[in-house]
Structure formats: C-alpha cells, structure tokens
Amino acid sequence: MAQFKELVFSGVQPTGNLHLGNYLGAIKRFVTMQETHDCIYCVVDMHAITVWQDPKELNRQIREVTAAFLAAGIDPSKHIVFNQSQVSQHAELAWVFNCIARMGWANRMTQFKEKAGKDRENASVGLFAYPMLMAADILVYRATHVPVGEDQKQHLELTRDVAQKFNNDYAESIAEHGFGDAFFPLTEPLIAGPATRVMSLRDGSKKMSKSDPSDYSRINLTDDADTIAQKIRKAKTDPEPLPSEVEGLKTRPEAENLVAIYAALTDAQPADVLRDHGGAQFSGFKASLVDVAVAKLSPIAGEMRRLMADPGHIDTVLGEGSAKARVLAAQTMDAVKDIVGFVRAH
C-alpha cells in the first residue's frame, strides 16, 4: 500500500460575518489541531462565488476570515495559511476531477438540492460542481485528513470516491510513474470529539446563523465586550432554574444551548457545568457566562480589529502562504498531468 505523509486540510468560506458558531464549530478546533498535525488552512474564496458575491465585500471577507485564523491563534510561520484563488492548481485539478466524477454521484449531493432550492435550473454550474472543487482542494495536497462538520460528510465521501476512481482508472500509469499502487490517499475525516453545534440565542431550535435578520441571535467574532454581554443577557431562556443533570436539558433547547456554549468556551462537558450551576436561576448563570465569553472572545475580537486595520499585513500572510501552497500543489499537478498523459515542458 502507498504511504502518505499525514497532512490536514481545513477550508473556511469567506461569506458573511463570522460568529460564535464558526469559532466553536471550526476555528477553535483548527487551533488545537496545529499542535498535533501539519496543517493547511485555506480561505476558500472560489467556493464563495458559486453564489454571486459583491466584489468589495468578498475582498473584505477574505481578509476577515484570515484575521480570525490569526487572532484565534493559528501560526502562519509553522503552518500554511492562504486563499484558494492564489493557487491555480485547485482549479486545474478540479477540471480533471469533473472528468473522473460521475453525474450520478453529483446528483446525489443533498447540499446542492438544499442550496439551489426549487429554482434548480437557475443555480450556477459552479454550485453543482462544488464537490469536485472541494475534492481538488484536499487532494491537490494529497491531504490525509479533513476536519468535517455534518454538512460536509457527504462531500468527503465523494472526495474518497474520486480518489479511488482516479487510482483505479490510471493504476497502470500511476505504477509506471513510480507512485506504487495509489497516487491519491483516501482522505479520512478528523473527528476531534463532538463539535459544538451552536444554536441561535433567540430560538434554541435553529442553528446560529449569519443570515438571521436579528443580530441578537448570534455573537459575532468582532463584537466588543459590551455587545457580547448585552446579547447573552437578552438571550431567550425559560422560567425554570437550571437542572442538575444533562437529562433535564432535553426538552429545553435554549437552556441546553447556553450550557453547551459555556462548556465549549471552558473546555468542559455540559455535565460539569450543571454540577457547578444546577439549581441556579438564569440571571446568575448568564452573569457567569458573560464573564467566560468576554474573557475568551474579547481578545480575539480586539486582535481581529487590529489586523483588519492593517490589510497589508494580512495580504503578506496570504501571499507567503500561497507561495508555500503552490510548491506542494504544483508537484501534485505535474504528476497528475504525467499520469493522465498530458504533454508538459520539463
């Protein structure tokens, strides 16, 4: 069996305000991963334009996601931080994968159906082909692991199918070019314990979302201490005190959400939080949650604002990261061209 160097690829779309859900569900985990793995962190701006984006906003949002990576503690000198559109091999490999993947596979992707809605005929071809670009993002670095949320599990399965089919279709050529029995790894999901699913502060049955019309439904990563405190104090709750057991949260979505947020911010389990706060009224618990949230998030918000005020520095980080990424991506793409039978200058 071919051996692949362990490498983790993580991508975040630069669309809309980053909020607590993005931080606890993804960015916080990315920061921990860098201690144990070689990592590539990518701002996937080419995915963003599968739905029309205002160019000035897109520009700002690419820098904002990068600022969030850096402010949260990702170290660009030890790992690669870049934006996808600066490395053309992503698009090149995506085309090869468009020719490997089957229409039937793409048609089964539920995320396209959800995003395109009833007006499927009017969706962009890019939105339909999105999973093949995602496969290219990962495999252009021959990454062995990807941290995935529930909504991307199906796309990772497609990435593995594409890798397997490429390895099968070109098995003879892969061996002839000295890559043994497989050129691409079958990328594994990186499961780092249950990801915190952060719900809206106004409705515990809905995910926290940047598209919710009420800004009080979410904590944005750029919110200052006063705004964070105000949003938590106004968060919807029920009249009962907090239960002492996790079981008691089952039918109380808003209470469950606030306890889960507290647990995630303090690296604890909900049961630990209830051991300390069970029986307490919400007013007291919210005051404790404000202290924890402000202590954890305020420094990130402050650092993000400082970085956003210096776009030149962010652009340098992305430029240097892209140069490192291109070296790896070019090696993969040159090999793919040789395996497929393209002619290229040596």
Side-chain angles (χ1 to χ4, degrees):
M1 266 303 280
Q3 292 296 305
F4 297 95
K5 178 178 172 286
E6 272 211 5
L7 182 66
V8 181
F9 179 90
S10 314
V12 172
Q13 275 214 45
T15 47
N17 284 349
L18 288 168
H19 53 70
L20 184 64
N22 305 122
Y23 175 68
L24 293 176
I27 297 170
K28 183 171 182 276
R29 304 172 88 184
F30 292 176
V31 177
T32 346
M33 264 171 8
Q34 69 178 351
E35 306 303 324
T36 49
H37 295 81
D38 284 333
C39 299
I40 293 178
Y41 302 97
C42 183
V43 184
V44 291
D45 47 5
M46 286 159 65
H47 283 293
I49 64 162
T50 53
V51 224
W52 189 85
Q53 304 291 329
D54 177 289
K56 287 191 175 66
E57 269 304 285
L58 179 60
N59 210 275
R60 187 188 66 74
Q61 285 162 358
I62 292 166
R63 291 191 180 114
E64 189 179 83
V65 172
T66 311
F69 282 169
L70 303 179
I74 286 169
D75 184 346
S77 66
K78 295 196 177 121
H79 302 275
I80 296 177
V81 176
F82 76 109
N83 59 312
Q84 181 189 23
S85 61
Q86 290 203 56
V87 182
S88 58
Q89 288 85 356
H90 286 246
E92 281 188 86
L93 187 58
W95 178 257
V96 175
F97 287 171
N98 280 338
C99 301
I100 297 282
R102 304 290 92 179
M103 285 294 288
W105 302 358
N107 276 323
R108 282 197 294 275
M109 296 294 119
T110 52
Q111 207 177 14
F112 172 73
K113 292 169 190 165
E114 285 162 15
K115 283 195 172 174
K118 290 192 171 62
D119 197 8
R120 202 174 300 176
E121 293 295 307
N122 211 17
S124 74
V125 175
L127 190 63
F128 184 71
Y130 176 114
M132 279 57 82
L133 178 57
M134 181 174 150
D137 296 335
I138 297 163
L139 294 173
V140 81
Y141 303 104
R142 296 163 92 197
T144 54
H145 292 84
V146 178
V148 280
E150 278 303 315
D151 59 340
Q152 293 293 347
K153 274 212 174 113
Q154 201 186 21
H155 289 171
L156 183 60
E157 282 160 21
L158 184 133
T159 299
R160 291 165 58 89
D161 290 344
V162 166
Q164 184 71 68
K165 190 169 188 303
F166 183 93
N167 290 341
N168 292 348
D169 288 359
Y170 292 104
E172 198 179 317
S173 187
I174 287 168
E176 279 169 10
H177 285 88
F179 292 105
D181 58 0
F183 180 70
F184 286 119
L186 301 185
T187 308
E188 299 281 344
L190 192 70
I191 313 290
T196 307
R197 191 176 158 84
V198 183
M199 311 309 275
S200 159
L201 298 178
R202 311 301 285 161
D203 177 354
S205 65
K206 284 188 191 154
K207 258 178 91 169
M208 187 174 283
S209 158
K210 60 180 180 282
S211 54
D212 193 306
S214 166
D215 198 49
Y216 277 93
S217 68
R218 62 187 162 267
I219 293 171
N220 301 307
L221 282 192
T222 46
D223 285 347
D224 60 22
D226 290 345
T227 311
I228 293 169
Q230 200 177 10
K231 286 178 176 180
I232 290 173
R233 280 198 287 268
K234 290 200 168 179
K236 186 180 171 192
T237 48
D238 55 49
E240 300 299 315
L242 276 173
S244 302
E245 304 289 329
V246 174
E247 205 51 43
L249 293 170
K250 286 280 182 285
T251 54
R252 300 171 66 186
E254 284 80 19
E256 186 175 29
N257 187 36
L258 294 183
V259 167
I261 290 171
Y262 192 110
L265 287 171
T266 54
D267 296 316
Q269 294 300 318
D272 306 328
V273 178
L274 293 178
R275 210 174 7 248
D276 296 340
H277 295 275
Q281 293 300 326
F282 270 106
S283 53
F285 178 65
K286 280 180 172 180
S288 300
L289 180 54
V290 165
D291 291 343
V292 166
V294 167
K296 286 278 182 193
L297 302 173
S298 255
I300 295 174
E303 182 62 4
M304 274 181 77
R305 284 194 293 272
R306 190 187 71 74
L307 287 162
M308 288 298 283
D310 183 5
H313 172 66
I314 294 178
D315 294 358
T316 300
V317 168
L318 290 173
E320 288 171 357
S322 299
K324 289 187 217 165
R326 268 195 297 275
V327 172
L328 300 176
Q331 288 169 356
T332 303
M333 206 54 226
D334 285 350
V336 166
K337 287 174 179 176
D338 293 345
I339 289 164
V340 168
F342 290 156
V343 173
R344 66 182 179 90
H346 283 269

